[in-house]
């Protein structure tokens, strides 16, 4: 019973998100990065960006104090993000075919370009916005999110023992989706008897 509630919240979150995918075209877009300073090591295929870093990949936006990007021999990219002390990195991406966005924050993050998997670690939070309105929200110690399938795994447990009970719980707020608007009934037709004036 101790772990039932956080597990239920996580399962509800996964099923709630399942029908829609992240913007498909983002996977083939280049990653564009701006920063205050950059350092590149060609032997390691590693590029480091420091200071007010913003990375864009299609509709995907990532912001952090530092981002390291490594590229393999097949051209696939992997990125690590760090926030300044007391702050969190930021992630945002449009959902395919909808006016909805996925947002995430954490102290550190890792993005795997080959699989489109984002891992948020420490004070992790994911949100769905419908337009500009906050719809759903989940918090945990670690969130692993697949942008292609929109399957999420949430862990509230830290690996150290110096945490209180509250920090070891997954917390979720799931808003009901607005009901589809009712179909408009056809206009009323005049009875042939009324048209002719007959009773």
């Amino acid at each position: 019973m101790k772990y039932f509630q956080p597990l239920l919240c996580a399962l509800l979150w996964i099923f709630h998100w399942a029908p829609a995918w992240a913007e498909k075209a983002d996977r083939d877009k280049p990653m564009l990065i701006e920063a205050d300073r950059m350092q590149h090591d060609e032997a390691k295929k590693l590029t480091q960006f420091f200071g007010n870093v913003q990375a864009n990949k299609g509709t995907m936006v990532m912001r952090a104090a530092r981002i390291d990007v490594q590229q393999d021999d097949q051209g696939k990219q992997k990125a690590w993000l760090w926030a300044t002390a007391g702050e969190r990195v930021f992630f945002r991406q449009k959902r395919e075919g909808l006016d909805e966005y996925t947002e995430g924050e954490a102290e550190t993050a890792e993005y795997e370009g080959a699989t489109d998997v984002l891992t948020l670690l420490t004070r992790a939070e994911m949100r769905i916005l419908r337009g500009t309105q906050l719809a759903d929200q989940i918090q945990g110690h670690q969130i692993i999110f697949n942008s292609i399938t929109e399957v999420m795994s949430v862990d509230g447990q830290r690996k150290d023992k110096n945490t209180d009970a509250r920090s070891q719980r997954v917390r979720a707020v799931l808003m009901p989706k607005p009901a589809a608007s009712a179909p408009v009934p056809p206009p009323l037709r005049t009875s042939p008897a009324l048209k002719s004036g007959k009773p």
Side-chain angles (χ1 to χ4, degrees), residues 122-138:
T122 308
R123 292 198 296 136
E125 179 179 338
M126 290 290 285
R127 301 179 292 269
I128 280 194
L129 284 82
R130 297 190 185 118
T132 58
Q133 299 298 313
L134 177 62
D136 300 331
Q137 183 178 24
I138 191 164

Side-chain angles (χ1 to χ4, degrees), residues 42 47 53 61 74 76 80 91 93 101 156 167 172 177 180 188:
E42 179 60 27
T47 309
V53 188
V61 177
Q74 286 73 45
K76 300 297 184 181
W80 296 267
F91 165 86
Q93 187 174 30
Y101 292 84
S167 67
K177 286 193 173 183
L188 295 176

Side-chain angles (χ1 to χ4, degrees), residues 26-29 31 57 60 62 69-70 72 75-80 110-118 147-148:
D26 289 350
R27 298 196 295 273
D28 300 321
K29 296 292 177 63
M31 184 180 288
K57 185 175 172 65
M60 185 189 301
M62 293 182 284
V69 180
Q70 191 158 39
D72 63 20
K76 300 297 184 181
Q77 297 164 334
K78 187 172 185 177
W80 296 267
E110 179 181 303
Y111 172 69
E112 181 66 66
T115 56
D116 268 349
V117 172
L118 175 74
S147 297
I148 299 175

Side-chain angles (χ1 to χ4, degrees), residues 27-62:
R27 298 196 295 273
D28 300 321
K29 296 292 177 63
M31 184 180 288
L32 309 174
I33 304 177
E34 293 183 2
D36 294 337
R37 184 168 62 89
M38 184 196 89
Q39 179 175 312
H40 177 71
D41 186 330
E42 179 60 27
K44 296 180 179 179
K45 297 291 190 291
L46 177 66
T47 309
Q48 299 173 300
F49 300 87
F50 304 90
N52 300 311
V53 188
Q54 176 160 319
N56 295 75
K57 185 175 172 65
T59 68
M60 185 189 301
V61 177
M62 293 182 284

